Amino acid sequence: MNYWLMKSEPDVFSIHDLKRKRKTGWDGVRNYQARNYMRDGMKKGDLVFFYHSNAEPSGIAGIARVSKERHPDPSQFDANSEYHDPKATPEKPIWEMVEVEFMEAFSHVITLAELKAAPALKNLPLVQKGTRLSVMPVGETEWKEIVKLAHGEI
DNA sequence: GCCAACGTTGGC
DNA sequence: GCCAACGTTGGC
């Protein structure tokens, strides 16, 4: 099993929205590297940190789980969607996504400052300079460390 | 709202 | 294939 982190602006869709909705298709990703992680890397059952970006505070807010593997992102075909891609057709889709289901909302957000301050997390892609991906991998070691932080065990 | 750091686009 | 211009992300 692999571990991941996905970013969402909580004003648009937060961990609490996911809790209410139970599951959601992760549509709207329009970056090739992030798409490739969803298309080629993410398998059913993989666990995902739900990261709140552009938030007060920004940080990891909870855990989700991949409930459906790669499939075309329907918003690319929707002329009324802000994510519409005129180059994509149902026969030749460009953008794929996964579906995730709610697992847990942390009692407090693990802030970006906390993540940056933890020596054990220095290899976490999120805290490395210049990483702006909205979907990225998390190592097993880092995953366990962050879960400990979230559950107050550190 | 600012701006640094990237990614994408398009002219050549 | 280069690279300037532009757009986007996202922390602060």
Side-chain angles (χ1 to χ4, degrees), chain A residues 18-78:
Chain A
L18 181 62
K19 184 175 185 178
R20 269 191 297 277
K21 205 178 159 191
R22 301 302 307 160
K23 52 179 63 177
T24 190
W26 206 269
D27 64 358
V29 171
R30 293 295 179 268
N31 170 283
Y32 287 105
Q33 201 177 342
R35 178 206 65 182
N36 291 349
Y37 282 133
M38 288 200 288
R39 188 187 64 184
D40 307 328
M42 298 181 84
K43 299 301 175 190
K44 190 169 180 179
D46 282 359
L47 294 174
V48 179
F49 282 134
F50 195 113
Y51 182 89
H52 283 175
S53 61
N54 271 321
E56 194 51 55
S58 293
I60 296 174
I63 297 176
R65 182 169 61 189
V66 177
S67 50
K68 185 179 175 190
E69 290 177 18
R70 56 179 291 187
H71 54 291
D73 177 344
S75 66
Q76 70 192 304
F77 310 126
D78 180 358

Side-chain angles (χ1 to χ4, degrees), chain A residues 11-143:
Chain A
D11 291 347
V12 178
F13 193 83
S14 74
I15 188 76
H16 307 291
D17 294 321
L18 181 62
K19 184 175 185 178
R20 269 191 297 277
K21 205 178 159 191
R22 301 302 307 160
K23 52 179 63 177
T24 190
W26 206 269
D27 64 358
V29 171
R30 293 295 179 268
N31 170 283
Y32 287 105
Q33 201 177 342
R35 178 206 65 182
N36 291 349
Y37 282 133
M38 288 200 288
R39 188 187 64 184
D40 307 328
M42 298 181 84
K43 299 301 175 190
K44 190 169 180 179
D46 282 359
L47 294 174
V48 179
F49 282 134
F50 195 113
Y51 182 89
H52 283 175
S53 61
N54 271 321
E56 194 51 55
S58 293
I60 296 174
I63 297 176
R65 182 169 61 189
V66 177
S67 50
K68 185 179 175 190
E69 290 177 18
R70 56 179 291 187
H71 54 291
D73 177 344
S75 66
Q76 70 192 304
F77 310 126
D78 180 358
N80 296 317
S81 169
E82 61 175 315
Y83 301 123
H84 178 236
D85 187 337
K87 294 191 293 295
T89 64
E91 293 73 31
K92 291 193 84 173
I94 297 171
W95 305 106
E96 299 199 42
M97 64 180 195
V98 298
E99 178 193 83
V100 301
E101 60 184 346
F102 176 79
M103 291 288 286
E104 177 184 353
F106 294 155
S107 55
H108 66 287
V109 171
I110 313 300
T111 66
L112 183 60
E114 286 180 76
L115 297 168
K116 284 180 173 171
L121 300 178
K122 67 178 192 306
N123 290 324
L124 187 71
L126 178 75
V127 303
Q128 279 159 18
K129 188 177 174 179
T131 309
R132 287 184 321 175
L133 283 175
S134 59
V135 179
M136 66 180 88
V138 175
E140 184 175 9
T141 307
E142 287 79 9
W143 177 275

